[in-house]
Amino acid sequence: MANDINIRKTVFSTTEFNRVVDTGFKVFTQPLEEEDLDTPEELFRLYEKLYYVIDVEGEDNSHEYLVKKSSELLSFSKVTEDIQPLLDEIAQLRQQLLLANQQLIDLETKG
């Protein structure tokens, strides 16, 4: 028993092909939005995890680098304003101590 299969070939010209067949790119599902895992929370989680692994000193990838980089954003003038009166008082007390020691030396050499 022979099965006959009829094959029909349809040929389209370029113009007809473009009219009949949609050649545009289609997406079957909406692309998934990727979650950005680079967050400050993730940075600090990794920092805590790698704290003792990070080199203390170095031009990059070190605690020294992190301090220098963060210092670019911070202003230390507040700290200086708080400390300066104490530094002035220390300088004044040193001057008084120097004068008192000089007076003692003068008394001992005259006596």
Side-chain angles (χ1 to χ4, degrees), residues 11-61:
V11 178
F12 293 107
S13 69
T14 306
T15 306
E16 290 174 329
F17 179 82
N18 289 333
R19 186 175 43 85
V20 172
V21 176
D22 183 7
T23 59
F25 182 75
K26 302 288 184 215
V27 178
F28 295 109
T29 62
Q30 291 297 325
L32 298 176
E33 189 173 317
E34 291 184 27
E35 181 182 354
D36 186 7
L37 299 176
D38 297 336
T39 62
E41 291 80 14
E42 180 64 9
L43 169 70
F44 288 109
R45 186 190 70 76
L46 287 171
Y47 182 72
E48 289 297 323
K49 179 179 179 181
L50 301 172
Y51 183 80
Y52 292 107
V53 177
I54 299 171
D55 291 334
V56 174
E57 295 178 336
E59 299 246 350
D60 57 358
N61 298 333

Side-chain angles (χ1 to χ4, degrees), residues 64-76:
E64 178 183 20
Y65 170 80
L66 292 172
V67 169
K68 286 180 181 177
K69 194 69 175 174
S70 294
S71 295
E72 293 174 5
L73 297 174
L74 297 173
S75 173
F76 289 106

